[in-house]
Amino acid sequence: MTPLARRLTALCLLGAALTACGGTAGQEHPASPASASGSPSPSRTPVLAPGPGGLTPVFEHGPRTRGKTVAFTFDADMTADQGPRAASGEHFDNPGLIRALRELKVPATVFMTGSWAEQYPAEARDLGRDPRFEVANHSWSHYAFTADCYGLPTVDADGMRADVERAYASLRAAGVPHPMPYFRFPGGCYDQRALRALSGLGVTAVQWDVVSGDAFATDADAVARQVLDGVRPGSVVVMHCTRSAAPTTERVVRAVVPELRKRGYRFVKVSELIGEAAPGR
């Protein structure tokens, strides 16, 4: 793993270690009603109850004692200023990875930026209409919601909510019929100000407990070992589906999936893990 990748992994782990500000896990209730601004549609999708003061709740992993389940998540990253690079041939998509997931019959949750959906509407629509996948929100711009987040440009507090709503509007415009009421902060970076800015949207912020290290990695075996060493029952694994920034991910998935199945793991989407966390289940 390169020094940059190691640094990114360390920062991701730090972001994942940030604690949510309370809240009751796994309650099922409708997401925010659809609006002209692009909030999630009403659904019975499992979400977490708001934290104290109505702060946006944060989910990091599912129950450890309800069987060997694991959720693979893939970030479709694309910042607002990368459109010209995509137009000139840089691949922010990864059709080989999606094909591998389908061949291996692995459900997954894709956290998609609105700018990615606008650049690849056919791919966004294809994922959104495939029951094996669920498409969730990764902001529109992929600008950070805190300072000092991998050097990403930042969106100010007044613009955070609008950025998330714009992403939902872009997902729907691309043909994703039911974007999930789940949100992943760009870079996984958040604080109480960010959680407060998104309160009332009805979204659950989804983090992770296993950092794959696939970002900018060139050694697929090393990434696969990191995933296999980190997975525990209920784990959420963060990976990427942008070929230019994560070129090894397809190979990692093809190596890791059979091994985890040998170990007795069952692959699920994030919604199932959140549902398993519901009280009384």
Side-chain angles (χ1 to χ4, degrees), residues 17 38 66 93 169 203-204 211 257:
R66 291 180 181 264
D93 62 341
V203 299
T204 294
V211 177
V257 167

Side-chain angles (χ1 to χ4, degrees), residues 88-157:
S88 66
E90 184 172 345
H91 287 284
F92 293 89
D93 62 341
N94 194 336
L97 168 65
I98 302 306
R99 184 168 56 251
L101 292 168
R102 285 173 168 150
E103 290 173 359
L104 294 166
K105 296 180 171 56
V106 175
T109 303
V110 179
F111 288 89
M112 190 180 294
T113 61
S115 50
W116 193 100
E118 291 180 8
Q119 183 66 41
Y120 301 105
E123 289 91 334
R125 182 171 60 253
D126 182 51
L127 289 168
R129 296 181 179 181
D130 186 335
R132 191 174 302 282
F133 301 104
E134 56 189 15
V135 174
N137 192 317
H138 195 30
S139 81
W140 184 84
S141 63
H142 202 258
Y143 284 6
F145 284 49
T146 67
D148 300 322
C149 183
Y150 311 125
L152 290 171
T154 57
V155 57
D156 60 34

